[in-house]
Amino acid sequence: EPEVTQTPSHQVTQMGQEVILRCVPISNHLYFYWYRQILGQKVEFLVSFYNNEISEKSEIFDDQFSVERPDGSNFTLKIRSTKLEDSAMYFCASTPHRRGGETQYFGPGTRLLVL
Amino acid sequence: GQQVMQIPQYQHVQEGEDFTTYCNSSTTLSNIQWYKQRPGGHPVFLIQLVKSGEVKKQKRLTFQFGEAKKNSSLHITATQTTDVGTYFCAGRENSGGSNYKLTFGKGTLLTVNP
């Protein structure tokens, strides 16, 4: 069964450094998402992406964050200048069709630790 | 903004006992999804409810969507140790609001004593 993959599985970085988290969504999917989950807390929506542009973003997704689909397969989340509070598990997800209740297939996540 | 509340936060049961988690939204939902997350794992889709008053069953799991489409529940009959994990509800607002964003509840962590 096709899966969403994410790299790296773990990332440790110094405060103020830039990080890029990578995701390969399921190949025929059209909608892509990033979520984060601070340890022990709920999953929080960051951003959705369709047709090479952001379709929606949350208040968490400020100017420090950006997303990109640089080629036909990868979907990246960049944090320009990491803060301690950015430490979390970041999940990528994808859905095959347009909005309206499609199942979101989550990747295994990248655990980001900012020191 | 939309809020999704879920109770209880934790539930510990003996194997064989039943378990229920409840989800309430501050706004009417177009649909609600349920996910299970094993410790250290990622959310895995269980089911989606769309219609008012809808009830769906998956083996020992029963999912309900309220008549007003603002609340939902997940009931597990005769829990097993494999049911351990955190169960999240996630709602999508009715049209006119967000169409892409899923708002997750805080989840209910279920532990099962063998």
Side-chain angles (χ1 to χ4, degrees):
Chain A
E1 186 176 330
E3 293 179 334
V4 175
T5 59
Q6 288 184 243
T7 55
S9 59
H10 296 79
Q11 175 94 50
V12 180
T13 190
Q14 294 289 327
M15 191 169 58
Q17 294 295 304
E18 175 184 287
V19 294
I20 298 176
L21 310 182
R22 291 183 167 80
C23 169
V24 179
I26 296 172
S27 63
N28 62 345
H29 285 192
L30 301 177
Y31 284 80
F32 315 116
Y33 309 83
W34 282 102
Y35 292 86
R36 80 170 186 191
Q37 186 178 31
I38 295 170
L39 187 64
Q41 298 189 24
K42 67 175 181 178
V43 177
E44 298 175 292
F45 170 82
L46 292 178
V47 66
S48 61
F49 192 86
Y50 170 71
N51 201 25
N52 283 320
E53 61 182 24
I54 290 174
S55 45
E56 187 170 3
K57 59 184 181 179
S58 73
E59 57 277 4
I60 302 169
F61 194 88
D62 61 22
D63 292 342
Q64 294 296 320
F65 292 89
S66 62
V67 289
E68 196 176 34
R69 189 156 162 82
D71 52 45
S73 60
N74 290 286
F75 178 50
T76 62
L77 174 69
K78 182 193 289 186
I79 309 175
R80 284 191 191 80
S81 178
T82 49
K83 308 184 194 74
L84 297 176
E85 55 264 36
D86 293 327
S87 296
M89 180 73 93
Y90 288 81
F91 292 108
C92 172
S94 68
T95 62
H97 302 123
R98 69 185 299 272
R99 64 171 197 262
E102 293 294 337
T103 303
Q104 297 204 4
Y105 295 84
F106 281 74
T110 293
R111 184 168 296 283
L112 175 66
L113 178 61
V114 182
L115 302 176
Chain B
Q2 181 194 23
Q3 292 186 4
V4 175
M5 292 142 288
Q6 200 173 343
I7 56 169
Q9 193 173 357
Y10 306 98
Q11 184 82 60
H12 178 73
V13 299
Q14 287 292 126
E15 190 171 23
E17 291 181 341
D18 292 355
F19 159 77
T20 305
T21 173
Y22 301 90
C23 185
N24 286 284
S25 170
S26 58
T27 59
T28 304
L29 300 170
S30 63
N31 61 68
I32 194 160
Q33 299 180 358
W34 284 91
Y35 290 80
K36 178 183 179 181
Q37 185 176 26
R38 292 185 185 276
H42 60 277
V44 174
F45 175 82
L46 294 176
I47 209 158
Q48 175 179 275
L49 305 169
V50 179
K51 299 176 184 174
S52 169
E54 189 170 15
V55 178
K56 285 189 177 180
K57 291 193 176 186
Q58 286 180 350
K59 296 182 182 178
R60 294 178 294 105
L61 277 61
T62 302
F63 302 84
Q64 292 188 326
F65 200 10
E67 293 290 340
K69 298 183 75 172
K70 293 181 75 172
N71 57 69
S72 181
S73 66
L74 157 60
H75 180 81
I76 302 178
T77 304
T79 53
Q80 300 174 358
T81 54
T82 52
D83 295 326
V84 165
T86 300
Y87 293 85
F88 291 98
C89 62
R92 184 176 273 106
E93 278 189 288
N94 213 347
S95 58
S98 161
N99 286 306
Y100 301 94
K101 182 173 79 169
L102 274 180
T103 300
F104 280 75
K106 289 189 175 182
T108 297
L109 172 60
L110 172 66
T111 54
V112 180
N113 203 25

